[in-house]
Amino acid sequence: MVLFIPGFMQCGDAWRPVAELLPERYPSRLLDHAEHSFEGRLREIREAASAEPGPVLVGYSLGGRLALRAALREPESFAGIVTVGSTAGIDEGPMRAQRAEADEKLASWIEAMPVEDIVSLWERQPLFADQSDALVEAQRPGRLAHDPRSLALLLRTAGQGVLEPVWHELPGLEVPLLAIAGARDDGYSSAAKRIAHLAPNARAAIVEDAGHAAHLQRPDEVARLISDFLDQAARP
């Protein structure tokens, strides 16, 4: 079973364009979180893994960070990990502290604003500047479905500023791992290559003509990469 984990301000359905392209031999579940804290979401992933033993976790951005940490805690529970546009954390202390401060300010603002204003700000991030208007509009209903207080809690407990980096733990992670990033997403392309360098059974894949959300911009190519990875992970 392939368990797809959405990113921040996404629903599981954001993964559907990729999941529908996987071969029928790889059934999928698109995880919609009910929990809105870091530990709560990890607990949901563990519960899903116990219901479907040995799933492959596929996570985008925040979902990728969750997948990595779930596997580091309980590597025997998962057959493989795929991250898209993700990282193992900010390991420069001052930079992480700055990010934590910025995330707290954003969380406080989110709590006080209507969800329409939150989504409008989120869509204008430079990180998403290379996404087409149609792609942004297609994601909007899922983003508007979120509760501002839940988003603020998630940012405070799972934002990159508050999470300790786990780069130093990757050399001990034996689970097969595929780190995907878009070619136009320089920072996360570097992170994917670094993950692949550190984890013993990992490799990186860079998707051309894609930015931070490669699974949305090139679902065909991301599905092919995941399918090939699954074929390899399924071999005895």
Side-chain angles (χ1 to χ4, degrees), residues 32-112:
D32 272 319
H33 292 288
E35 297 281 353
H36 304 292
S37 70
F38 173 70
E39 290 296 336
R41 292 203 165 184
L42 280 183
R43 183 166 56 250
E44 288 179 322
I45 293 170
R46 290 196 302 271
E47 290 171 354
S50 64
E52 297 282 351
V56 171
L57 299 181
V58 181
Y60 162 64
S61 196
L62 167 62
R65 300 201 300 274
L66 289 168
L68 276 180
R69 285 163 174 80
L72 286 167
R73 288 189 183 186
E74 299 179 18
E76 69 283 351
S77 298
F78 307 103
I81 304 294
V82 179
T83 63
V84 178
S86 196
T87 175
I90 302 172
D91 48 9
E92 299 88 352
M95 186 178 298
R96 192 164 68 253
Q98 291 175 4
R99 179 61 179 267
E101 182 179 356
D103 283 352
E104 174 56 36
K105 289 180 180 178
L106 179 58
S108 296
W109 180 83
I110 285 173
E111 285 178 319

Side-chain angles (χ1 to χ4, degrees), residues 17 42 53 140 195 220 229 231:
L42 280 183
R140 191 168 295 139
I195 289 170
D220 54 342
F229 173 77
D231 288 344

Side-chain angles (χ1 to χ4, degrees), residues 33-210:
H33 292 288
E35 297 281 353
H36 304 292
S37 70
F38 173 70
E39 290 296 336
R41 292 203 165 184
L42 280 183
R43 183 166 56 250
E44 288 179 322
I45 293 170
R46 290 196 302 271
E47 290 171 354
S50 64
E52 297 282 351
V56 171
L57 299 181
V58 181
Y60 162 64
S61 196
L62 167 62
R65 300 201 300 274
L66 289 168
L68 276 180
R69 285 163 174 80
L72 286 167
R73 288 189 183 186
E74 299 179 18
E76 69 283 351
S77 298
F78 307 103
I81 304 294
V82 179
T83 63
V84 178
S86 196
T87 175
I90 302 172
D91 48 9
E92 299 88 352
M95 186 178 298
R96 192 164 68 253
Q98 291 175 4
R99 179 61 179 267
E101 182 179 356
D103 283 352
E104 174 56 36
K105 289 180 180 178
L106 179 58
S108 296
W109 180 83
I110 285 173
E111 285 178 319
M113 300 299 291
V115 69
E116 291 82 3
D117 291 355
I118 297 165
V119 170
S120 179
L121 177 70
W122 190 257
E123 290 175 344
R124 295 198 302 270
Q125 289 187 90
L127 196 63
F128 305 141
D130 69 332
Q131 295 184 15
S132 68
D133 291 343
L135 182 56
V136 172
E137 290 172 7
Q139 297 174 76
R140 191 168 295 139
R143 288 171 171 161
L144 290 171
H146 289 281
D147 174 66
R149 291 169 297 180
S150 299
L151 291 172
L153 175 60
L154 186 58
L155 191 57
R156 288 187 171 114
T157 60
Q160 292 203 62
V162 72
L163 289 182
E164 291 292 322
V166 293
W167 296 104
H168 64 289
E169 298 184 50
L170 293 182
L173 182 63
E174 298 288 343
V175 178
L177 196 161
L178 173 64
I180 299 173
R184 296 196 294 263
D185 194 12
D186 293 339
Y188 285 94
S189 290
S190 297
K193 293 173 184 177
R194 185 179 176 191
I195 289 170
H197 175 73
L198 290 172
N201 292 319
R203 69 180 183 88
I206 307 303
V207 179
E208 297 299 325
D209 300 318

Side-chain angles (χ1 to χ4, degrees), residues 4-8 10-12 14-15 31-33 41 60 62-63 66:
F4 286 96
I5 307 170
F8 186 75
Q10 282 190 339
C11 299
W15 273 111
L31 184 61
D32 272 319
H33 292 288
R41 292 203 165 184
Y60 162 64
L62 167 62
L66 289 168

